[in-house]
Amino acid sequence: MDWKLPRQGACRCGRVKIEVRAAPLVTMACHCTGCQKMSSSAYSLSAAIPAEGFAVTEGEPVVGGLHGAEAHHYFCPHCMTWMFTRAEGMDWFVNVRPTMLEGAGDFAPYIETWVGEKLPFAETGAVKSYDALPPMEDYEGLMKEFREWR
């Protein structure tokens, strides 16, 4: 797929801007209750972007949501839009909320996680579903399948 890179993005108010210069490793929808609350929706969408292919180009996002060691959720300090997540110990990728990017419709979720907490009406069209998270050893295969799917 032609990912039309680089892609620009911004929070709702436009004070924090981002750029994606690399194709996603995989796209996801998360149904966990934490994502439901943070997104004010039935699930959150994310695209795992290689860290070297992601940049904040304007503004200074702040950590919000979870404040623990596991994950750092980054928000615009003004409009509080949840823009991206960095997982502790996994510095090689950034989970970008694809709705921040131009052409967000290109980022359909390939996998959906935490379907054990899914709201009964929520449908994503994802190809693969997991009751919680996929086992770590499955990710390499999932990323290969994703590249072939797109």
Side-chain angles (χ1 to χ4, degrees):
M1 173 175 180
D2 177 9
W3 286 99
K4 304 172 201 110
L5 300 171
R7 288 201 194 210
Q8 311 304 312
C11 61
R12 184 168 182 163
C13 72
R15 292 181 186 188
V16 176
K17 295 186 173 143
I18 60 174
E19 182 177 77
V20 168
R21 296 181 302 269
L25 301 167
V26 69
T27 53
M28 301 161 279
C30 181
H31 294 280
C32 79
T33 54
C35 282
Q36 290 172 21
K37 290 179 184 209
M38 283 191 12
S39 66
S40 299
S41 186
Y43 50 84
S44 71
L45 295 173
S46 62
I49 305 296
E52 67 276 4
F54 171 79
V56 174
T57 58
E58 190 174 316
E60 295 289 331
V62 297
V63 174
L66 288 179
H67 287 267
E70 296 174 10
H72 304 287
H73 303 295
Y74 290 86
F75 292 75
C76 167
H78 182 75
C79 68
M80 301 309 290
T81 301
W82 180 22
M83 300 184 71
F84 60 95
T85 301
R86 292 183 185 268
E88 191 70 31
M90 297 184 190
D91 298 337
W92 51 277
F93 76 97
V94 178
N95 266 337
V96 176
R97 308 276 81 74
T99 50
M100 301 302 110
L101 302 171
E102 299 165 350
D106 293 342
F107 293 85
Y110 182 70
I111 65 173
E112 60 184 345
T113 60
W114 293 100
V115 296
E117 297 180 9
K118 175 180 155 183
L119 296 175
F121 60 83
E123 299 297 329
T124 68
V127 175
K128 305 261 184 171
S129 296
Y130 294 88
D131 198 46
L133 292 172
M136 282 306 288
E137 61 270 12
D138 287 5
Y139 278 96
E140 185 175 343
L142 286 169
M143 290 185 288
K144 180 181 182 295
E145 292 170 13
F146 172 73
R147 286 190 305 272
E148 294 167 359
W149 176 66
R150 294 309 292 165

